[in-house]
Amino acid sequence: MKLEQARVGFALCGSYCTHAQTIRALAELVPLTGQITPILAETSGSLDTRFGRNQTLRMQLEAICGASVLDSIPLVEPIGPRGLLDLLIIAPCTGNTLAKLACGITDTAITMAAKAHLRNGRPVLIAPSTNDGLSVSLRNLGDLMCRRHYYFVPFRQDDPAGKPNSLVYDPSLLAQAAVAALEGRQLQPVLLAAG
């Protein structure tokens, strides 16, 4: 399937410090795809942080995608039975969500969206952003890398000296990684030199 024909789910987790760059990457992705459905983690959709207000984030997503945000388990559950998506992108994907996906825990809108989508054997593209990516979250990252239908936006250490365990995806590679995932391949190299 080609990206321009794809129905894409775009799910935002926490990692609030990366929301601005993720929104820019999403805006660049929209004209390349057939349709994008925005999905928002319950925390991202309800908490104001020093990085922005939740209502602003919600309005940005809806304006960019031209669709209402799905932000609850009941709203995303039909993704599977109705086959609503061709690709699910989780960007940013926090260490918490990585752990839940690796352990099969389905207690948020995003983990339910992934579970529902995976039942159709379709790709999930993960854009990791976590301060513990090279510590406690590393095993979950590795676990998902070994599983079928999971792909990753290439990532790097964002601050090796100041935060040696922190990983963040490269938003400039989001569209290329989406094309690769739809083709059933991992964009390489997946591990980039530190930025």
Side-chain angles (χ1 to χ4, degrees):
M1 165 161 289
K2 303 238 181 258
L3 184 58
E4 56 268 20
Q5 302 164 330
R7 298 163 303 157
V8 177
F10 197 95
L12 275 86
C13 292
S15 191
Y16 305 101
C17 61
T18 64
H19 279 181
Q21 68 186 20
T22 298
I23 292 294
R24 284 191 297 275
L26 171 61
E28 292 171 7
L29 185 66
V30 166
L32 305 176
T33 63
Q35 164 191 338
I36 295 190
T37 301
I39 302 167
L40 196 53
E42 290 85 346
T43 52
S44 296
S46 62
L47 297 176
D48 292 333
T49 72
R50 65 187 172 105
F51 299 103
R53 297 180 50 83
N54 66 71
Q55 285 302 321
T56 302
L57 178 63
R58 182 179 300 274
M59 288 187 306
Q60 287 176 319
L61 286 173
E62 291 180 345
I64 291 168
C65 298
S68 296
V69 166
L70 306 181
D71 60 359
S72 69
I73 289 174
L75 288 175
V76 300
E77 188 275 333
I79 287 171
R82 295 184 189 159
L84 298 179
L85 303 177
D86 300 303
L87 172 66
L88 175 63
I89 299 171
I90 304 175
C93 185
T94 62
N96 187 49
T97 297
L98 282 172
K100 290 180 178 192
L101 292 171
C103 294
I105 298 170
T106 309
D107 64 351
T108 68
I110 291 179
T111 54
M112 175 55 83
K115 177 181 179 178
H117 179 67
L118 284 165
R119 77 182 258 178
N120 298 318
R122 295 178 182 165
V124 174
L125 179 61
I126 294 177
S129 180
T130 175
N131 285 327
D132 60 7
L134 293 178
S135 58
V136 72
S137 286
L138 185 59
R139 71 173 140 194
N140 300 319
L141 191 72
D143 186 14
L144 293 175
M145 284 187 147
C146 295
R147 292 196 197 170
R148 194 169 176 202
H149 305 300
Y150 279 102
Y151 302 91
F152 289 81
V153 178
F155 53 87
R156 63 173 45 94
Q157 286 179 278
D158 55 315
D159 183 1
K163 300 187 298 181
N165 294 321
S166 183
L167 294 177
V168 67
Y169 78 101
D170 185 334
S172 72
L173 298 174
L174 183 67
Q176 291 175 59
V179 169
L182 283 167
E183 294 173 352
R185 62 182 176 85
Q186 173 61 54
L187 183 65
Q188 296 292 342
V190 68
L191 185 57
L192 305 170

